[in-house]
């Protein structure tokens, strides 16, 4: 008996010890689980990474920056339909439990133990805890922490606050975070526009975004959608009629239209670069900023189309470079699956709308020269006809006459060729089964750039930095430095108009040889190797006469021209020899276009404005008026370096010497020009370089603060730049078809490696550059007037429709007279071509064209050149 009592006591003690140990173990486990629980304060100020969005001047979305693509939506803006879809799919007792649904946990455990199916039982609160505070590791410890955190979250936040964080935070696949972004990503809709079927599909995604993706696994996505709709009916969120109406109506997926983003790609990249430099990368990618730019999307899209069309036309003139690769006839079938995958076509599906928007690879199945037609296949049963008419440009590269055409398709295409083609969508009224049409395409090796801004406001309207941003992000409008060619001449002429020349001054175009100071001789030539002799400054500019520009530069001086170029906003290093007149210096399209903007604006130096304002996620102003390439604060070291460079330019320019030889010297480096063919019927007088016979002091023209030129000076330059457009022999005569009041200048560099046209109306200034990155020759006769001007005209036609060109009002100090374009005198009875030209008051011609010549030693009759003191 005593032994039994002893055993009982011992057993009791053992039980107590075990209980104590179990309690201690449980306590230890509790301490271990709760010791490193995340701090819930992270949920108090919920600030997830948000998408920063870029808008055009009219509020149209044109780009995005993000680390996680998410839009934060207030709870009161999330429709009840959407909320109910998520409750039905994930946690229909959400508003009843305290963070953990024990009934659901038992049910899930039973299913897991008795079947091969693993069923989860996490509430929405638990999912929020996992997504925001924990990892996704599958361990009992993590589940325990998740349950504990869920209880704490429920005690700290209201149900709506929890649900708001959950709906805005979770991932939906395809790069979409948050329910609003999911609606936009899958249906291009707002939350308020979603149907029950669409809401059900979205609500079914968070469980496994990849597994239930409608893009990756459409069958599973459909099963999940039907399941969610069924749950919505079961818990009473939709009635039977609504369920029946939606269950057999799978939603149609629709991605946001990418065209605006694609058109503005170079713009948004400039925006990103500027803001990252100002605000930091994290703030831009995560800050949920609203970025309002000055860009006009309609003009931006026009600019892209104009540039692509012009570059493609030039590339066609350069010839067809041949197929991407070739497949033997017996290997054609093997090509088709690969082409189908490359072209993103599912087997048996019709071509998608996007299929018509971009070039696609296809294999040539047949070529019939009698019918003038070829048959090509894109894979997956998609075939099209290619006509001879759409492919005539495909002459052999560098073969035969430049810009020639082919007579039959077999000259370009052969069976088995894999090449690129653009598909033409069937007409709306086409008969069912109508054949698709395609045109031969090749990616140009030519590049181009366009930059345009508003003269009055400085707002950047359009910027295109290349043919295709997807293939090259390098911005040739702001980053590429190319020789400006004749596009630089207006700066030389503007300098001349400040140093004694007038638009009617007589200059000379004749052979001359120059010594660059090092003993090397240099002889500029005109395009076409013709010399015109005596002509007015205006005609020399209109016809882009090289020798005249060099004569003028030699007369007015290199340093004053350099100084004016700097005042006009040209920052690149400039040549300090006489070749400066012909644009041998390299600069960006932005620099030269900005310089022309000074002429257009009446003397104001315009720094194009890229961003009007940036607001943070709370709508507070962060920064405003961000310039495309504004002046930056310089350190003392940078200022000293700039002064050293300027001094070096001044010293070097002093060594330039002018040597004029009356003989026909041997050809040397051929400089740029694109003068029109000389008028064979005109008789021109040649003579020596004039010397200044008389200098008269001229009242100083004040340059107002913030201006680069005096208004009267800038106005006269702008009016003189109308000559290339309006003069009978102007290099940009085609632009006159757009209407009056247009100014501009073509530019072509040595051997046609760069082609330019920069021009303006009173309201819009636009520059266009065309060239090849490797600086190859564009081709015979590919001048600025042929290669760049058509792009400028296509764009400006749309720009002028929005900004009607009205003749600007002349400032004080400007007078207008009618001038004989041949003699530079006042128009008279014998005048054949007459232009109404602007002059600085007091510098107008004094003699009429029908009066006696009365030639003076200066060759300018009674008119004397007067030095203008600026």
């Amino acid at each position: 008996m005593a032994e039994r009592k002893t055993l009982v006591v011992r057993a009791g003690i053992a039980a107590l010890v075990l209980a104590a140990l179990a309690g201690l173990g449980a306590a230890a486990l509790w301490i271990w689980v709760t010791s490193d629980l995340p701090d819930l304060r992270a949920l108090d100020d919920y600030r997830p990474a948000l998408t920063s969005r870029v808008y055009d001047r009219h509020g149209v979305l044109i780009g995005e920056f993000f680390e996680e693509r998410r839009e934060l939506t207030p709870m009161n803006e999330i429709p009840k339909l959407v909320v109910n879809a998520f409750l039905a799919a994930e946690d229909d007792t959400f508003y009843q439990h305290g963070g953990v649904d024990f009934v659901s946990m038992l049910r899930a455990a039973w299913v897991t133990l008795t079947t091969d199916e693993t069923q989860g039982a996490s509430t929405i609160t638990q999912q929020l805890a996992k997504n925001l505070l924990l990892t996704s590791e599958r361990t009992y410890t993590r589940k325990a922490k998740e349950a504990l955190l869920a209880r704490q979250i429920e005690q700290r936040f209201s149900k709506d606050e929890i649900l708001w964080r959950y709906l805005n935070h979770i991932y939906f696949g395809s790069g979409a975070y948050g329910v609003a972004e999911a609606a936009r990503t899958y249906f291009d809709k707002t939350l308020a526009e979603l149907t029950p079927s669409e809401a059900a599909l979205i609500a079914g995604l968070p469980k496994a975004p990849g597994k239930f993706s409608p893009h990756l696994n459409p069958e599973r996505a459909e099963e999940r959608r039907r399941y969610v709709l069924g749950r919505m009916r079961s818990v009473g969120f939709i009635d039977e009629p609504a369920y029946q109406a939606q269950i057999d109506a799978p939603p149609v997926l629709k991605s946001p239209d990418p065209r605006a983003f694609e058109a503005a790609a170079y713009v948004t990249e400039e925006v990103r670069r500027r803001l990252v430099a100002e605000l930091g990368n994290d703030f831009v990618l995560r800050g949920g900023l609203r970025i309002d730019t000055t860009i006009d999307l309609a003009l931006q899209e026009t600019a892209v189309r104009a540039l692509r069309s012009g570059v493609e036309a030039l590339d066609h003139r350069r010839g067809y470079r041949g197929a991407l690769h070739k497949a033997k006839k017996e290997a054609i079938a093997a090509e088709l699956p690969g082409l189908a995958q490359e072209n993103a076509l599912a087997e048996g599906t019709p071509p998608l709308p996007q299929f018509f928007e971009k070039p696609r690879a296809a294999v040539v199945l047949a070529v019939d020269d009698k019918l003038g037609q070829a048959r090509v296949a894109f894979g997956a049963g998609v075939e099209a006809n290619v006509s001879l008419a759409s492919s005539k440009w495909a002459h052999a590269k560098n073969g035969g006459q430049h810009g020639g055409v082919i007579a039959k398709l077999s000259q370009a295409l052969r069976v088995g060729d894999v090449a690129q083609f653009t598909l033409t969508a069937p007409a709306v009224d086409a008969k069912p089964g109508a054949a698709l049409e395609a045109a031969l395409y090749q990616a140009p090796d030519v590049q181009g750039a366009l930059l345009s801004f508003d003269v009055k406001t400085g707002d950047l309207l359009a910027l295109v930095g290349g043919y295709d941003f997807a293939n090259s992000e390098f911005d040739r409008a702001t980053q590429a430095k190319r020789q400006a060619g004749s596009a630089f001449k207006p700066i030389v002429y503007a300098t001349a108009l400040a140093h004694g020349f007038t638009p009617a001054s007589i200059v000379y175009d004749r052979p001359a040889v120059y010594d660059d100071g090092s003993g090397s001789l240099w002889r500029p030539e005109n395009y076409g190797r013709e010399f015109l002799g005596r002509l007015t400054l205006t005609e020399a500019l209109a016809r882009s006469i090289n020798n005249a520009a060099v004569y003028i530069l030699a007369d007015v001086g290199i340093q004053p021209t350099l100084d004016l170029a700097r005042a006009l906003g040209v920052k690149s290093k400039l040549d300090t020899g006489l070749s400066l007149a012909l644009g041998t210096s390299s600069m960006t399209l932005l620099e030269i276009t900005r310089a022309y903007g000074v002429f257009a604006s009446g003397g104001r130096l315009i720094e194009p404005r890229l961003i009007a304002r940036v607001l943070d996620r709370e709508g507070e102003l962060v920064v405003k008026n961000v310039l495309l390439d504004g002046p930056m604060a310089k350190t003392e070291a940078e200022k000293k370096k700039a002064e050293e460079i300027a001094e070096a330019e001044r010293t070097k320019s002093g060594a330039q010497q002018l040597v004029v030889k009356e003989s026909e010297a041997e050809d040397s480096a051929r400089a740029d020009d694109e003068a029109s063919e000389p008028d064979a019927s005109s008789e021109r007088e040649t003579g020596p370089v004039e010397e200044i016979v008389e200098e008269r002091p001229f009242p100083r023209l004040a340059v107002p603060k913030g201006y680069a030129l005096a208004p009267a000076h800038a106005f006269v330059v702008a009016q003189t730049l109308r000559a290339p457009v309006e003069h009978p022999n102007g290099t940009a005569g085609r632009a006159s078809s757009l209407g009056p009041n247009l100014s501009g200048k073509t530019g072509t560099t040595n051997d046609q490696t760069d082609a330019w046209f920069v021009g303006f109306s009173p309201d819009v200034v636009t520059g266009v550059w065309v060239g090849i990155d490797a600086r190859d020759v564009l081709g015979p006769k590919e001048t600025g007037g042929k290669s760049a001007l058509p792009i400028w005209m296509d764009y400006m036609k749309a720009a002028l429709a929005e900004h009607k060109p009205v003749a600007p009002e002349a400032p004080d100090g400007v007078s207008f007279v009618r001038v004989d374009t041949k003699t530079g005198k006042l128009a008279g009875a014998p005048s054949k071509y007459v232009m109404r030209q602007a002059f600085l008051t007091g510098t107008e011609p004094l003699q009429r064209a029908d009066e006696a010549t009365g030639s003076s030693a200066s060759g300018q009759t009674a008119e004397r050149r007067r030095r203008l003191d600026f």
Side-chain angles (χ1 to χ4, degrees):
M1 192 70 170
E3 291 181 3
R4 174 182 266 181
K5 287 183 179 181
T6 301
L7 289 173
V8 171
V9 170
R10 289 178 178 176
I13 292 172
L16 288 173
V17 171
L18 289 174
L21 290 174
L24 289 173
L29 178 63
W30 175 264
I31 294 172
W32 180 57
V33 170
T34 60
S35 62
D36 62 344
L37 281 179
D39 194 333
L40 290 186
R41 283 179 296 182
L43 291 178
D44 289 336
D45 184 20
Y46 177 62
R47 294 177 65 84
L50 300 181
T51 301
S52 292
R53 292 200 162 96
V54 187
Y55 298 88
D56 87 332
R57 66 194 302 126
H58 303 297
V60 180
L61 185 65
I62 61 173
E64 295 176 336
F65 311 129
F66 54 84
E67 185 178 279
E68 295 177 353
R69 209 170 68 241
R70 175 188 286 109
E71 177 183 344
L72 204 60
T73 308
M75 190 63 193
N76 60 3
E77 293 182 13
I78 302 176
K80 188 174 182 180
L81 168 67
V82 175
V83 172
N84 287 342
F86 279 88
L87 294 179
E90 297 292 335
D91 189 359
D92 63 291
T93 62
F94 172 73
Y95 282 97
Q96 286 77 51
H97 63 66
V100 179
D101 188 343
F102 294 103
V103 175
S104 295
M105 289 176 66
L106 291 173
R107 182 177 63 246
W110 176 256
V111 171
T112 302
L113 290 171
T114 58
T115 69
D116 293 333
E117 179 184 350
T118 300
Q119 192 175 93
S122 294
T123 64
I124 283 177
T125 312
Q126 287 175 275
Q127 292 181 51
L128 179 65
K130 181 184 72 173
N131 281 284
L132 274 173
L133 303 173
L134 299 171
T135 67
S136 296
E137 61 178 344
R138 293 177 173 272
T139 65
Y140 290 110
T141 302
R142 196 269 295 166
K143 289 296 292 183
K145 290 182 178 181
E146 180 185 292
L148 291 172
L149 286 171
R151 293 290 297 161
Q152 293 180 15
I153 290 171
E154 289 278 349
Q155 294 168 3
R156 190 162 188 152
F157 301 102
S158 70
K159 287 290 186 179
D160 281 353
E161 289 173 336
I162 296 169
L163 192 57
W164 172 71
R165 285 166 172 77
Y166 171 79
L167 292 175
N168 279 289
H169 193 80
I170 51 178
Y171 182 56
F172 289 86
S174 297
Y177 290 82
V179 66
E181 191 60 46
R184 177 171 171 264
T185 297
Y186 290 105
F187 302 113
D188 195 22
K189 288 185 176 183
T190 64
L191 291 174
E193 296 171 326
L194 293 179
T195 66
S197 184
E198 292 165 342
L201 186 145
I202 290 175
L205 291 171
K207 182 177 179 67
K211 179 179 178 181
F212 298 121
S213 167
H215 295 306
L216 302 177
N217 296 296
E219 295 83 6
R220 286 191 170 184
E222 173 61 9
E223 291 175 5
R224 182 68 175 164
R225 179 192 72 88
R226 297 173 76 91
Y227 165 78
V228 175
L229 280 173
R231 291 286 302 142
M232 292 174 72
R233 178 186 60 176
S234 298
V235 297
F237 290 151
I238 59 174
D239 56 22
E240 185 65 25
Y243 170 80
Q244 292 297 336
Q246 298 292 321
I247 191 65
D248 293 322
V252 177
L253 300 178
K254 181 184 178 184
S255 299
D257 190 340
R259 287 177 293 186
F261 282 27
E262 292 172 355
Y266 281 105
V267 173
T268 52
E269 177 58 15
E270 286 290 348
V271 168
R272 188 197 65 79
R273 277 200 291 262
R274 291 294 284 171
L275 291 185
V276 166
E278 295 282 342
L279 306 174
N281 191 62
D282 286 349
F283 191 53
V284 173
L285 294 184
R286 297 174 55 87
L289 308 177
R290 179 187 173 96
I291 305 160
D292 292 319
T293 71
T294 62
I295 293 296
D296 186 312
L297 178 59
L299 290 180
Q300 178 69 22
E301 290 176 332
T302 298
V304 171
R305 287 193 298 268
L307 185 106
R308 290 179 69 91
S309 176
V311 167
E312 288 171 4
L314 172 53
D315 191 68
H316 286 183
R317 294 195 293 271
R318 288 171 56 80
Y320 181 48
R321 296 189 295 276
L324 301 175
H325 65 272
K326 295 181 180 293
K328 295 180 179 180
K329 290 185 178 181
E330 58 271 18
I332 289 177
E335 292 277 353
L336 298 180
L339 291 175
Q341 184 176 6
E342 178 182 342
N343 294 327
L345 285 173
E347 188 70 33
T349 60
L352 303 173
Q354 294 89 338
F355 196 72
F356 298 106
E357 297 174 1
K358 294 183 178 180
R360 309 283 176 171
V363 61
V364 178
L365 301 179
V367 179
D368 190 329
D369 283 334
K370 291 184 178 180
L371 292 177
Q373 181 174 285
R375 188 73 173 165
V376 299
F378 296 86
V382 179
E383 297 184 5
N385 294 324
V386 179
S387 68
L388 173 62
S390 69
S391 308
K392 277 185 173 291
W393 61 270
H395 60 93
K397 180 174 171 23
N398 296 327
Q401 184 178 0
H402 182 75
V405 298
I406 60 174
K408 51 187 180 179
L409 272 172
S410 60
Q411 291 177 272
L413 299 177
R414 291 179 175 82
V415 173
D417 282 0
V418 177
Q420 288 187 302
F421 299 85
T422 53
L423 262 174
T424 303
V428 176
D429 57 352
K431 296 180 180 179
L436 296 175
E437 298 292 332
L440 180 63
Y441 170 87
Q442 71 177 0
D445 57 5
V446 179
Q447 285 289 349
L450 182 150
L451 186 147
S452 178
F453 59 86
D454 187 298
V455 172
K456 293 181 173 60
T457 65
D459 287 350
L460 189 69
L461 299 175
L463 182 151
V464 187
Y467 176 78
D468 186 358
F469 181 83
N471 290 329
S472 173
E473 298 181 10
F474 182 64
D475 184 354
R476 295 157 187 84
T478 63
Q479 296 175 300
K481 291 189 176 184
R482 306 290 295 226
Q483 286 189 331
S486 296
F488 187 82
K489 287 178 183 174
I491 297 178
V492 176
Y493 281 75
T495 307
L497 292 174
H499 290 78
F501 285 84
T502 78
S505 294
I506 297 299
V507 296
Y508 290 89
D509 173 35
R510 42 167 237 156
V513 178
Y514 300 94
D515 184 348
D516 65 2
S518 65
S520 299
L521 298 181
W522 170 64
R523 180 187 184 222
E525 292 184 354
N526 290 327
Y527 187 75
R529 299 176 182 270
E530 297 282 352
F531 296 95
L532 303 178
R534 175 188 172 102
L535 68 168
T536 66
L537 180 146
T538 297
E539 184 172 0
L541 178 62
R543 302 179 76 145
S544 196
I545 304 301
N546 280 343
N547 282 282
V550 176
Y551 280 138
I552 291 171
L553 178 62
D555 195 319
V556 302
I558 292 172
Q559 190 55 48
T561 305
L562 294 174
D563 292 341
L564 181 60
R566 297 298 182 217
L568 296 177
V570 177
K571 301 176 183 179
S572 295
K573 182 179 179 181
L574 298 174
D575 292 340
T576 54
L578 289 175
S579 64
L580 174 70
L582 307 184
T584 54
S585 300
S586 295
M587 60 194 66
T588 66
L589 177 62
L590 169 59
E591 288 178 292
I592 194 70
T593 306
R594 180 170 53 199
Y596 279 55
V598 176
F599 307 143
S601 68
R604 291 184 297 113
L605 178 60
I606 301 173
E607 290 289 354
R609 185 175 68 145
L610 173 62
I611 302 171
R613 64 175 186 173
V614 178
L615 305 178
D616 65 15
R617 66 175 71 198
E618 280 81 30
E620 297 295 325
L621 182 66
V622 176
V623 67
K624 63 179 181 178
N625 299 331
V626 178
L627 305 178
L628 178 62
D629 180 40
M632 305 294 287
K634 291 185 176 181
T635 65
E636 290 302 318
E638 289 172 329
K639 291 179 181 178
K640 184 178 180 181
K641 182 65 175 177
E643 292 171 356
E644 290 174 353
I645 293 173
E647 179 61 28
E649 289 181 342
R650 283 191 291 272
T651 302
K652 186 176 180 180
S653 66
Q656 181 70 48
Q657 297 181 24
L658 169 64
V659 178
V660 181
K661 296 186 178 181
E662 298 296 338
S663 63
E664 290 292 332
E666 290 294 321
D667 288 353
S668 63
R670 182 178 173 197
D672 74 290
D673 194 81
E674 54 203 281
S676 56
E677 293 298 322
D679 183 357
S681 63
S682 63
E683 296 180 2
R684 297 188 179 273
E685 174 186 346
T686 60
V689 177
E690 350 171 34
E691 298 178 357
I692 296 177
V693 176
E694 179 181 0
E695 291 186 2
R696 298 177 181 177
F698 193 85
R700 182 179 179 86
L701 298 181
V703 179
K705 185 178 180 180
Y707 281 60
L709 297 178
H713 181 196
F715 185 87
V716 171
V717 175
Q719 292 294 303
T720 306
L721 275 170
R722 292 171 61 171
V725 177
E726 298 178 356
H727 192 280
N729 297 116
T731 58
R734 284 191 290 175
S736 63
S737 63
L738 297 180
N741 304 312
L742 298 178
S743 303
K745 182 69 184 73
T746 50
T748 312
T749 56
N750 188 37
D751 292 328
Q752 289 79 50
T753 56
D754 297 272
W756 305 74
F757 186 79
V758 186
F760 53 88
S761 72
D763 296 308
V764 179
V765 58
T766 302
V768 173
W769 166 84
V770 176
I772 298 173
D773 288 342
R775 300 180 189 273
D776 292 338
V777 177
L778 290 172
K781 299 184 180 180
E782 292 295 346
T783 63
K786 184 176 182 180
S787 302
L789 179 59
I791 298 172
W792 187 90
M793 291 176 62
D794 285 350
Y795 169 79
M796 285 297 287
K797 184 176 181 180
L800 294 175
E802 293 191 20
H803 304 268
K804 300 290 184 183
V806 178
E809 184 177 346
D812 293 340
V814 172
S815 300
F816 282 92
V817 296
R818 292 168 58 80
V819 176
D820 183 299
T821 59
K822 181 178 179 181
T823 65
K825 301 175 183 178
L826 295 173
S831 299
K832 185 176 181 181
Y833 295 112
V834 176
M835 290 186 69
R836 182 174 180 266
Q837 290 193 268
F839 292 82
L840 294 173
T841 300
T843 68
E844 309 93 328
L846 303 178
Q847 188 176 35
R848 295 178 62 85
D850 52 356
E851 294 176 358
T853 58
S855 298
S856 67
S858 69
Q860 292 186 278
T861 66
E863 177 191 2
R864 301 295 188 187
R865 283 172 39 203
R866 285 153 287 195
R867 184 72 58 184
L868 308 184
D869 183 18
F870 285 88

